[in-house]
Amino acid sequence: RCPPTKGCARLAAAAEHDLLSPRRREHLQRYLLDANQATIRQRVWLLLELHPTGPVDLLTTLRADESSSDVLHELAAHDDAKRSADIARHVGACAPEAMANVLFELPILLNEWYPLPDHARSLIDLLAAIDGRGRGVVINLLFQSHPPDVAASVLLRLQPADVTQLDRMRLRRRYDDVYELLDRLEQVDPARAAAWRGPITPDPSP
């Protein structure tokens, strides 16, 4: 077995010289989706060369000792940041809780994988797909990584039905003049503003 970086270079060279036919590409992809054939790093990195969504397909073939978080960690270690970020967002859509856990371990990835404003929609979808501790992690990172106005503008795009009392508490803790913010929101989207003005029971869990 060759190291991932060497294997990636060989695949890139083969593609450049038209040595990687569609049939051979398909065969290699099937090979790498076989969990018994290579380490998870080899499978993730080489699949990135073979097919844009290969690592997403890999999620359905993980061994019992492997997880979606392992795939995300390998994407984080890959040299091609843009390509791995594109795939990481797809993996996050399939495994949102795993994404929240990896962002907690490696906070720098929030800006690398969900840069604003281009990928605000993907970040909102991630927030909507997780709850409890995972959502709290992502919201806290959002406010740590961006000015309050920017972070709040993303958070307020959650659908009213997705807003919880914990989200209201987090926003009020992180944004100084939240009532003025909601007054402005009410002018353009009364239903969304009403969701964020909802009640907070005493001492909700953080």
Side-chain angles (χ1 to χ4, degrees):
R1 303 288 186 259
C2 57
T5 49
K6 184 177 180 181
C8 289
R10 289 173 59 188
L11 278 177
E16 182 180 354
H17 294 91
D18 295 324
L19 300 176
L20 197 60
S21 66
R23 182 177 178 181
R24 186 180 181 196
R25 182 184 294 269
E26 182 180 356
H27 173 77
L28 283 170
Q29 186 167 345
R30 285 200 307 269
Y31 174 86
L32 290 167
L33 288 173
D34 183 341
N36 296 316
Q37 297 301 332
T39 67
I40 192 165
R41 169 162 289 194
Q42 289 172 319
R43 282 144 61 209
V44 170
W45 287 32
L46 294 174
L47 281 167
L48 274 174
E49 294 294 330
L50 288 169
H51 193 278
T53 61
V56 181
D57 301 334
L58 181 61
L59 296 180
T60 63
T61 66
L62 294 174
R63 296 195 303 258
D65 61 338
E66 298 172 339
S67 69
S68 302
S69 295
D70 294 328
V71 176
L72 289 168
H73 278 116
E74 295 307 335
L75 289 169
H78 194 270
D79 294 336
D80 190 332
K82 183 181 184 307
R83 189 191 307 179
S84 59
D86 290 341
I87 299 305
R89 285 188 293 273
H90 286 294
V91 174
C94 298
E97 294 293 343
M99 175 62 81
N101 290 335
V102 171
L103 292 177
F104 176 72
E105 296 171 23
L106 301 168
I108 193 174
L109 293 177
L110 182 72
N111 284 344
E112 291 185 6
W113 287 353
Y114 295 92
L116 301 179
D118 292 349
H119 295 285
R121 179 72 262 168
S122 295
L123 183 54
I124 294 160
D125 290 343
L126 176 66
L127 283 169
I130 53 181
D131 54 22
R133 175 185 173 277
R135 186 182 286 194
V137 165
V138 177
I139 290 175
N140 287 337
L141 290 176
L142 177 62
F143 276 92
Q144 290 167 13
S145 304
H146 299 281
D149 284 338
V150 174
S153 70
V154 173
L155 190 57
L156 291 177
R157 288 173 61 182
L158 279 170
Q159 291 298 315
D162 292 328
V163 178
T164 69
Q165 70 165 349
L166 287 175
D167 298 330
R168 298 181 196 113
M169 174 66 81
R170 290 163 182 143
L171 178 62
R172 293 176 195 185
R173 285 175 175 171
R174 291 286 188 171
Y175 197 92
D176 290 338
D177 201 345
V178 69
Y179 297 106
E180 180 181 344
L181 176 70
L182 295 179
D183 285 344
R184 294 197 303 269
L185 179 62
E186 190 169 16
Q187 300 302 311
V188 295
D189 195 333
R192 205 178 296 265
W196 285 98
R197 291 187 192 277
I200 297 177
T201 59
D203 299 321
S205 300

